Amino acid sequence: LEAEQTYATAIVSLQRAVSEQGLELEGEAQATIQQGLEEMDRTIARCRQALRDNPDDLGAHQAMLAAYQHKVDFLQELLSAKL
């Protein structure tokens, strides 16, 4: 999917920017952010699996794109917050 590739590229770029920014977070905040990112990754993986099982599942397709958008938004907020 072209949209999936576009999101994946944006996420890699944003993750690199977050890493380069060297956000110094305290343990609990860092753990919360990491847990959120991991949950987003699990959601994306579940949607991908649903689409492998049923490529015509419009709901799974929409959910996957929404999950990607949520991760992009989350990473952009991290960058703009300059924690």
Side-chain angles (χ1 to χ4, degrees), residues 1-8 11 40 43-48 51 57-73:
L1 295 169
E2 187 176 327
E4 182 179 9
Q5 184 59 44
T6 300
Y7 276 118
I11 287 168
M40 289 175 226
T43 299
I44 291 167
R46 284 192 300 270
C47 292
R48 278 190 187 144
L51 285 170
D57 185 343
L58 183 59
H61 180 72
Q62 291 173 335
M64 182 179 69
L65 294 180
Y68 274 119
Q69 184 63 55
H70 180 67
K71 188 168 182 177
V72 166
D73 293 344

Side-chain angles (χ1 to χ4, degrees), residues 18-70:
V18 167
S19 178
E20 288 172 359
Q21 200 172 68
L23 298 175
E24 296 295 324
L25 302 174
E26 304 217 1
E28 188 174 326
Q30 180 62 37
T32 299
I33 288 169
Q34 190 60 39
Q35 287 171 350
L37 290 169
E38 289 169 0
E39 181 57 34
M40 289 175 226
D41 289 339
R42 284 190 294 273
T43 299
I44 291 167
R46 284 192 300 270
C47 292
R48 278 190 187 144
Q49 183 59 51
L51 285 170
R52 277 193 290 276
D53 294 342
N54 183 4
D56 297 326
D57 185 343
L58 183 59
H61 180 72
Q62 291 173 335
M64 182 179 69
L65 294 180
Y68 274 119
Q69 184 63 55
H70 180 67

